[in-house]
Amino acid sequence: MRDIKIKSAFISVYYKDGLEAIVKKLKSLGISIVSTGGSYDFITGAGVEAVRVEELTTYPSILGGRVKTLHPGIFGGILARRDNEVDMKQVAEYNIRLFDLVIVDLYPFEETVASGAAPQEIIEKIDIGGVSLIRAGAKNHADVLIVSSRLQYGTLMHILDRNDGVVKGEELYRFAIEAFNLTSHYDTAIFNWFNRDKQITSFKKSILTSESLRYGENPHQKGLFFGNLKENFEHLHGKEISYNNLLDIDAALSLIDEFDETTCAILKHNNACGIASRSTVREAWDAALACDPVSAFGGVAVTNREIDAEAATEMDKIFLEVVMAPSYTGEAVAILKQKKNRIILLRKQSEADRETFRSMLGGVLWQERDRANESAAGMKPVTSRHPSDDEYQDLVFANRIVKHSRSNAIVLARDKQLCASGIGQTSRIDALRQAIEKAHSFGFSLEGAVMASDAFFPFPDSVTTAHNAGITAVVQPGGSVRDQESIDYCNKNNVAMVFTGIRHFKH
């Protein structure tokens, strides 16, 4: 890679902030400038001489500004290879002006979409000339420095200050990478907007921002988060968020969003080890912690109400990796900050992702997010005894938890409190046995409790075992060829059972 010296610049930008200092620096270095429309007016208004692009193309801006720079007189000056004899002969033959620096940004397409603008306004923000100029400069990066964003102006100024406009070869290459990163992202955004009704089956996702994590799932693995965490929460206190923290945070937010009542949940390894709905956060916390105080150690606590001093005082009594809430009192934050590494997050209002995807087998597995949320009205009684009002409330509560538990999953609950869950088992009966044993180990009586299953029961052994443990009502999707055997057992033993018709596998 060889160095170049900037002698001539082409400038056409939508955003003018930061540009004045750049053009004045170019002037001080004797670098000539060619510019377009509003950029020309801005530059000359700053007292810097420039040449209008029309003087090179001999054409005015036409078609409402859609065509300004698409001309050999401009692109030839960017794409000409200085070490190519044929290129340079044609440059001389057609009197083409060479450009060593191209400063071009793009119309704000994504911002226009986000504003809710009408389709025609959005279409007019699809940049044609800008993308072409950026790609041309990046392609010929051996001879041209392409600056594609005002965020690069600081680096550009450093280059100009350092050695009178001499640019190192590795810098030219780095700017070219950033240019192609920008244009590919821009094209992805345009495609995804046009394809918002999924007329074409294609997976395209582009995220420009990223954050380095301490490591991945384990210390020997590298980890990154692509996205903007600040859109979801404010990091009030504590250490850097880890890869595993983020997995638990995502699981916690997905779970807590299922509940309208004052609810507190504690999660470990993406599963709820405690959750309860009560009249206050303090009461919800106490009930959630009672579910499994052992697993709660080092967990992620989340609530859908403001954390006050009373709740914070109780939370501070155990080690929690992360605490999340939509708001805190000042005293509560002070209490929770007593543990210097505890991560305290203030949740912001943000829309949950409507789709999920994961990499595998050299490809990507995509699906819609599971947004089904069954109410009591959506539960179909299939037994002669229907659930009582209290049982219905607990069935809805348990079903929301099992939806967010690793399959095979069973949830046992009573009085809007998790008694225990059996998760990640290879058989449903094993998940149930695990839940019963765990509930008993923490002193829960299952008399009058309810059971939720993420999928149907292939055999009647689950309802038999649940009934023998004290369970009086069951919710499951139904759909087994042997459903009737489970229904018959429930009818003979006065157990109420409802079907939802919706399975909630989670792997």
Side-chain angles (χ1 to χ4, degrees):
M1 296 182 183
R2 55 186 173 79
D3 300 349
I4 68 165
K5 183 174 178 59
I6 299 172
K7 300 175 182 177
S8 178
F10 180 89
I11 301 175
S12 180
V13 295
Y14 182 89
Y15 298 101
K16 310 300 190 295
D17 43 313
L19 182 62
E20 183 174 346
I22 295 294
V23 296
K24 286 183 175 179
K25 182 63 179 180
L26 296 179
K27 176 183 179 181
S28 71
L29 295 174
I31 297 171
S32 62
I33 299 173
V34 174
S35 191
T36 63
S39 297
Y40 173 86
D41 293 339
F42 180 88
I43 293 167
T44 54
V48 177
E49 184 178 347
V51 175
R52 288 186 182 274
V53 69
E54 290 84 354
E55 293 185 29
L56 275 65
T57 64
T58 70
Y59 276 89
S61 173
I62 61 174
L63 307 182
R66 285 187 167 197
V67 181
K68 294 190 289 283
T69 59
L70 298 171
H71 189 280
I74 303 302
F75 280 86
I78 298 172
L79 288 165
R81 292 160 290 188
R82 280 39 164 194
D83 60 355
N84 184 292
E85 185 178 347
V86 174
D87 283 9
M88 297 312 291
K89 282 183 178 179
Q90 290 181 332
V91 165
E93 179 182 356
Y94 296 107
N95 193 29
I96 294 173
R97 182 173 184 155
L98 295 175
F99 298 109
D100 315 295
L101 171 64
V102 174
I103 303 177
V104 175
D105 61 13
L106 300 174
Y107 291 159
F109 177 82
E110 290 180 280
E111 293 87 342
T112 305
V113 171
S115 73
Q120 190 55 44
E121 184 179 349
I122 292 172
I123 288 172
E124 289 306 317
K125 287 298 187 290
I126 297 175
D127 208 315
I128 303 300
V131 171
S132 301
L133 289 163
I134 290 171
R135 287 175 61 86
K139 178 175 181 175
N140 198 29
H141 63 272
D143 298 300
V144 176
L145 176 63
I146 174 63
V147 178
S148 53
S149 168
R150 64 192 188 279
L151 299 178
Q152 298 170 316
Y153 286 177
T155 305
L156 173 60
M157 186 64 81
H158 171 72
I159 290 171
L160 296 173
D161 283 338
R162 183 189 60 212
N163 196 16
D164 294 335
V166 173
V167 188
K168 296 178 181 178
E170 56 266 29
E171 292 171 330
L172 297 171
Y173 188 75
R174 173 68 187 189
F175 273 76
I177 294 174
E178 293 180 3
F180 284 124
N181 183 36
L182 181 67
T183 58
S184 64
H185 175 82
Y186 195 76
D187 283 339
T188 296
I190 293 170
F191 170 80
N192 285 333
W193 180 75
F194 268 91
N195 197 44
R196 56 196 180 279
D197 295 329
K198 308 297 183 187
Q199 295 184 40
I200 295 177
T201 302
S202 177
F203 181 83
K204 287 183 172 63
K205 187 76 173 177
S206 176
I207 302 174
L208 292 176
T209 57
S210 66
E211 295 186 31
S212 295
L213 304 175
R214 294 199 304 272
Y215 48 79
E217 202 160 6
N218 299 291
H220 63 277
Q221 297 170 271
K222 291 182 179 180
L224 289 168
F225 174 78
F226 290 93
N228 186 357
L229 293 175
K230 293 178 181 179
E231 292 180 353
N232 295 284
F233 42 72
E234 182 181 348
H235 194 153
L236 300 179
H237 177 74
K239 62 184 178 180
E240 178 185 343
I241 299 173
S242 72
Y243 182 100
N244 291 326
N245 288 154
L246 287 173
L247 291 176
D248 283 332
I249 288 167
D250 180 65
L253 295 179
S254 296
L255 174 60
I256 203 69
D257 283 348
E258 298 281 353
F259 298 90
D260 295 322
E261 294 180 78
T262 300
T263 302
C264 188
I266 309 167
L267 285 85
K268 284 286 286 289
H269 299 291
N270 309 158
N271 294 289
C273 57
I275 180 170
S277 296
R278 292 291 186 267
S279 59
T280 68
V281 174
R282 160 67 191 278
E283 292 171 347
W285 164 258
D286 288 344
L289 181 61
C291 300
D292 184 351
V294 175
S295 296
F297 184 85
V300 170
V302 61
T303 181
N304 56 2
R305 297 290 191 276
E306 180 176 80
I307 294 179
D308 58 17
E310 184 181 12
T313 298
E314 295 305 310
M315 290 178 168
D316 190 54
K317 290 179 180 179
I318 73 165
F319 168 59
L320 292 170
E321 278 269 347
V322 181
V323 178
M324 286 188 293
S327 62
Y328 302 82
T329 65
E331 191 176 355
V333 173
I335 292 168
L336 294 171
K337 279 184 175 182
Q338 291 179 107
K339 302 293 190 298
K340 68 176 183 178
N341 288 327
R342 176 181 290 149
I343 298 168
I344 305 174
L345 302 178
L346 176 66
R347 188 182 182 187
K348 298 179 181 179
Q349 287 296 326
S350 58
E351 185 178 357
D353 296 330
R354 293 181 174 271
E355 57 187 28
T356 66
F357 44 88
R358 63 174 80 175
S359 61
M360 64 171 57
L361 302 173
V364 174
L365 197 60
W366 176 97
Q367 68 173 350
E368 295 177 331
R369 182 176 287 275
D370 184 356
R371 299 170 67 86
N373 190 344
E374 302 90 301
S375 64
M379 295 179 176
K380 176 185 176 183
V382 294
T383 51
S384 54
R385 185 177 80 79
H386 292 192
S388 66
D389 289 345
D390 287 345
E391 284 175 329
Y392 262 127
Q393 288 186 45
D394 283 342
L395 288 170
V396 171
F397 178 85
N399 197 55
R400 289 173 178 172
I401 300 168
V402 83
K403 171 185 171 182
H404 295 276
S405 303
R406 295 291 177 185
S407 302
N408 287 311
I410 293 289
V411 165
L412 308 179
R414 187 179 61 190
D415 299 329
K416 297 181 182 177
Q417 179 187 27
L418 174 66
C419 297
S421 60
I423 52 177
Q425 299 301 303
T426 52
S427 73
R428 198 151 300 281
I429 188 64
D430 282 348
L432 174 56
R433 288 169 178 157
Q434 180 191 56
I436 293 172
E437 179 182 354
K438 191 169 187 179
H440 289 159
S441 72
F442 289 109
F444 283 96
S445 169
L446 295 177
E447 294 296 329
V450 306
M451 173 173 69
S453 175
D454 64 337
F456 66 63
F457 299 117
F459 306 103
D461 53 355
S462 291
V463 292
T464 302
T465 302
H467 168 250
N468 290 334
I471 300 298
T472 59
V474 178
V475 58
Q476 59 141 318
S480 168
V481 295
R482 305 182 71 167
D483 275 345
Q484 194 59 48
E485 294 179 35
S486 294
I487 294 171
D488 290 343
Y489 180 88
C490 289
N491 281 332
K492 289 177 183 178
N493 292 277
N494 201 35
V495 175
M497 183 160 64
V498 296
F499 286 179
T500 63
I502 298 175
R503 189 181 71 186
H504 289 297
F505 270 165
K506 185 179 180 186
H507 296 104

